[in-house]
Every structure is written in structure tokens, then in C-alpha cells.
Amino acid sequence: GAVVSQHPSRVICKSGTSVKIECRSLDFQATTMFWYRQFPKQSLMLMATSNEGSKATYEQGVEKDKFLINHASLTLSTLTVTSAHPEDSSFYICSARDPTGTYSRNTGELFFGEGSRLTVL
Amino acid sequence: SQQGEEDPQALSIQEGENATMNCSYKTSINNLQWYRQNSGRGLVHLILIRSNEREKHSGRLRVTLDTSKKSSSLLITASRAADTASYFCATALTGANSKLTFGKGITLSVRP
């Protein structure tokens, strides 16, 4: 399958600072990437859909100014957690589809990054 | 809101046994997918079944879909200790490339 790389895998920061997480598609160009948040032993909650060259589409209840998403190129989307607080501590995962189908066994299959665990002290 | 609800929430079996996991959803779908997640890692796509399909196989995996009951099941045959992971169903509502909504997940433990 295709590779989606996410960095950093772990980050610890102080309350009030901002943290940037990168998501890169290594094998294909992704016009759309998805950002999820996962609490311990819970499901993935879609935060936003990142669109290359345009604004992200945020899910209801997700603060746009809190979670800044930039998709400046076809292989890179970034999520910046601004003025992080302890309640923002979570596991953040990005994903993307291969639009060419070269790496997908099924149309619609998502390729996930390895996730980034954010701990805000 | 959650679209998919898996059951059981946790399943513990002996190596070699079959594992059956169920997923129910609420609205009409385009396709349903199953993913696997090892602890602290990203998700890996296992299998996809379209709304006009009833059963699919992939290796030791068998997935069924009953759109009248809005439910799906994932069967892992001849389980291995390496199958220990969390399993999630996810639904795409409007098209093959629409966003996915994930269920709560099932934790599968396979005892060697």
C-alpha cells in the first residue's frame, strides 16, 4: 500500500504554545487529506477535510481558529494546534486517498499516517 | 455522531479460533470498510464492501453486508496472536470518495 508519513510521532508541549503536525503522502499526490482525533480506547472523530489550494472543511464543533489546517502542496498537509491546553492532549491521525488508484485495492480506501500523540502539560 | 456501532466491544479468543465482529450503522451508505489498528499506531485498511454487495473475501477475512438490517460482520478465520488489535468499521455515505465515519471499535485479543 501507499505510505502516508506523519511527523512528529510524539510531542510534549507547555500549555499556551502552538504545535504543528505534518502529514505527507510519499507515493502519490493527495488533493484531499483527512484529519482525525482519537481519545484513548475510543473511535476516530473526523476533525476536518484538508483541500489542496483551498480552505479546509471543518466538522461541526471543531474550532477553525484552534486547529489550523494548511494544505499548500499536493503532498503535504499540516495541522497546527494553537494555544494548546491540556484538553487538547490526544492522538491525531491524518489520512489520504490515492486518486490514481495505483496503490488502492479498493476505490475509497484510506491510507493513514502513524499518528501523532500530543501531550499538553 | 457515531455512524457505526461495533459489537462486541472486546473479544478474547484462543489462537486458531474464528473471530466474528459485528457493526451496525444508521443511514444509507455507499460502502462499508473495515480497518485494523495496532495500539498507538495508524489504521490499516482491511476490506471494503459496496452497498450492492453481500459478501466479500480476502485471505482469512470474510465480510458480509446486510443493507436491510444496516449491519455488517467481519469474520477472521484461524486467528493468530498477531491478529490482536482494534478493529473499526467505517461507512462512506454518498460516494466512494466521501469522508468516512468510524465506529467505536472492537478490541480483539488472540491468546497464543
Side-chain angles (χ1 to χ4, degrees):
Chain A
V3 176
V4 173
S5 174
Q6 196 170 334
H7 177 81
S9 57
R10 292 179 181 272
V11 56
I12 300 173
C13 69
K14 293 182 179 179
S15 187
T17 61
S18 295
V19 174
K20 180 185 285 188
I21 301 170
E22 294 186 347
C23 180
R24 295 180 184 274
S25 56
L26 301 186
D27 303 301
F28 58 92
Q29 294 182 330
T31 55
T32 302
M33 290 185 175
F34 302 92
W35 285 96
Y36 289 86
R37 180 175 181 174
Q38 186 179 32
F39 292 101
K41 298 190 184 300
Q42 293 192 29
S43 185
L44 283 76
M45 299 301 296
L46 180 64
M47 298 175 65
T49 302
S50 173
N51 304 300
E52 188 269 335
S54 64
K55 292 182 179 180
T57 305
Y58 289 83
E59 295 300 302
Q60 191 173 10
V62 177
E63 299 177 59
K64 301 178 183 181
D65 296 331
K66 176 73 171 176
F67 300 100
L68 299 179
I69 290 173
N70 183 283
H71 195 152
S73 79
L74 287 171
T75 59
L76 173 64
S77 174
T78 61
L79 168 67
T80 301
V81 183
T82 63
S83 186
H85 289 93
E87 58 265 30
D88 298 324
S89 297
S90 193
F91 192 56
Y92 294 88
I93 315 177
C94 69
S95 66
R97 288 193 173 99
D98 167 23
T100 68
T102 303
Y103 299 96
S104 306
R105 287 173 291 166
N106 300 290
T107 302
E109 172 183 349
L110 281 179
F111 295 98
F112 281 84
E114 285 295 295
S116 300
R117 183 163 302 284
L118 170 64
T119 303
V120 184
L121 303 176
Chain B
S1 61
Q2 284 318 117
Q3 160 75 323
E5 295 279 342
E6 295 97 335
D7 78 86
Q9 291 189 342
L11 181 62
S12 181
I13 59 174
Q14 198 73 37
E15 200 166 31
E17 294 179 340
N18 296 339
T20 300
M21 292 168 272
N22 303 302
C23 168
S24 59
Y25 56 91
K26 299 174 184 175
T27 64
S28 296
I29 60 172
N30 175 276
N31 68 73
L32 184 144
Q33 304 180 32
W34 285 89
Y35 286 82
R36 166 197 169 124
Q37 183 182 34
N38 285 4
S39 181
R41 306 290 296 274
L43 280 74
V44 175
H45 174 87
L46 295 176
I47 196 166
L48 179 153
I49 187 165
R50 294 179 177 79
S51 59
N52 61 352
E53 298 176 313
R54 292 296 167 259
E55 185 173 316
K56 281 188 78 172
H57 297 255
S58 177
R60 293 186 295 116
L61 304 180
R62 171 178 170 255
V63 65
T64 63
L65 180 65
D66 187 333
T67 53
S68 66
K69 295 181 179 178
K70 291 187 171 57
S71 67
S72 172
S73 68
L74 174 68
L75 169 67
I76 303 175
T77 60
S79 64
R80 305 167 182 168
D83 293 329
T84 295
S86 292
Y87 292 81
F88 294 88
C89 68
T91 51
L93 302 187
T94 58
N97 290 316
S98 61
K99 61 185 181 183
L100 292 185
T101 303
F102 285 80
K104 294 182 179 179
I106 298 169
T107 300
L108 173 66
S109 298
V110 181
R111 302 186 301 274

